[in-house]
Amino acid sequence: MDPIDRNFAALSLQMSRLAVPERATTAPPPSLASLIDRVNAAKRHYEPGLRR
């Protein structure tokens, strides 16, 4: 075994012994209907001929 192989094997072993962090809980993604509403509102905002 080459020194590189030995070092890689040792590092792999150390990494396998590490505790796996749990995923952070996040808010659920917005619903599809909400996203569609936002897109439609943006489209209305940029329609030509509308006053701002």
Side-chain angles (χ1 to χ4, degrees):
M1 224 191 228
D2 292 335
I4 292 175
D5 293 329
R6 247 191 321 271
N7 288 338
F8 184 78
L11 181 60
S12 296
L13 181 62
Q14 289 176 1
M15 289 176 64
S16 69
R17 291 179 178 166
L18 293 175
V20 177
E22 292 189 26
R23 291 186 121 189
T25 55
T26 58
S31 68
L32 184 58
S34 171
L35 293 174
I36 291 172
D37 289 341
R38 289 173 60 189
V39 168
N40 288 336
K43 285 168 65 175
R44 282 192 303 272
H45 181 73
Y46 287 104
E47 284 182 358
L50 292 179
R51 291 187 178 180
R52 292 185 188 183

